[in-house]
Amino acid sequence: MVRSMVFSTSFPLRFSPIPRSIPPQIQPNQRLPLNFTNKIRHGFGGIRFLRAKPARELCTKAVLSEIPNQKQYPKIGAQSTGPIPPSQLIQVVEIAAKTGAEVVMDAVNKPRNITYKGLTDLVTETDKMSEAAILEVVKKNFDDHLVLGEEGGIIGDTSSDYLWCIDPLDGTTNFAHGYPSFAVSVGVLFRGNPAAAAVVEFVGGPMCWNTRIFSATAGGGAFCNGQKIHVSETNLVERSLLVTGFGYEHDDAWATNLDLFKHFTDVSRGVRRLGAAAVDMCHVALGIAEAYWEYRLKPWDMAAGALIVEEAGGMVTRMDGGKFCVFDRSILVSNGALHEKLLERIGPATEGLKSKGIDFSLWYKPESLHTDL
């Protein structure tokens, strides 16, 4: 059943009485404010707040790159948002992401309680609290939807047409060190394809933390703080800034990507490794980086960022150039103009891994999940 009311969380979180850079939760039937401009003093730095403006209108179709003779790849976004109107779905997605981000903001300058999922793969109490707060929002609005969270796994009805992919704190290692490249990422799939997405990125640093929110709906364009965004038009690798990432396992995929890192460092303006996939993809969508690729990601890492890139006019494929879905084990996103050129090197490297028997089958997909894949 689809609910028509939007509710904020009632999860008992400890929010600071000092205003934060994330807008307050909205009440039922209240429009979601997306742009604010007041400044206040907080800590040692000024935090820019967004003054509510009328909510932005969703576009009727995605922005396409205007670069001529550009090879096109299959779109990854859903054909529609299903029986839930795009405006309602994105409203709840944004509230959920902001609710999780409130938890992160409240903890960002406090001591960390850290545990480990592996030798170097850490998790904090903040990850768990953020996910719980996000789940509260989802369940109050769409209690019949399926949820896949990084910390909690699969929750809900596996026969649902909707799957929420939640990363409550993307870039946990950066968060634990106070390094400004982490985010809260919430993406919703309709029948297996991305339909709506929101990423709250933390920017600044200790004593001057701030946030900005990226959002998109399938066919509706991509936005940052309510303003439409578009990928860059750079069409030369030597003039591009690239981004990649490395997993925790130092295996063949890790070594292959290290070779790619070295190659593209030689031929581009530089390759960055920031440590938060959702942030990296949003930077491509914003036009401040031209491409991002990585092996061995999970659905919650990719569901939101991939849609935001596509709706900003970019392209999304697997690293072998094949059609991408969020259950795949590799991703390449770009401004489109560079996609084919990047695949000339990245594609064969990925095929080489396949020839070694490296598993590139779908990572996981609930057996009963209704999909168009």
Side-chain angles (χ1 to χ4, degrees), residues 132-156:
I134 294 168
L135 284 171
E136 185 79 6
V137 174
V138 176
K139 290 304 178 185
K140 281 195 171 182
N141 288 278
F142 306 116
D143 61 0
D144 57 339
H145 286 192
L146 185 62
V147 177
L148 174 61
E150 179 174 12
E151 306 307 327
I154 284 285
I155 301 172

Side-chain angles (χ1 to χ4, degrees), residues 242-259:
L242 308 174
V243 189
T244 190
F246 295 88
Y248 294 105
E249 295 182 16
H250 293 191
D251 55 7
D252 286 340
W254 183 90
T256 295
N257 199 31
L258 192 58
D259 290 338

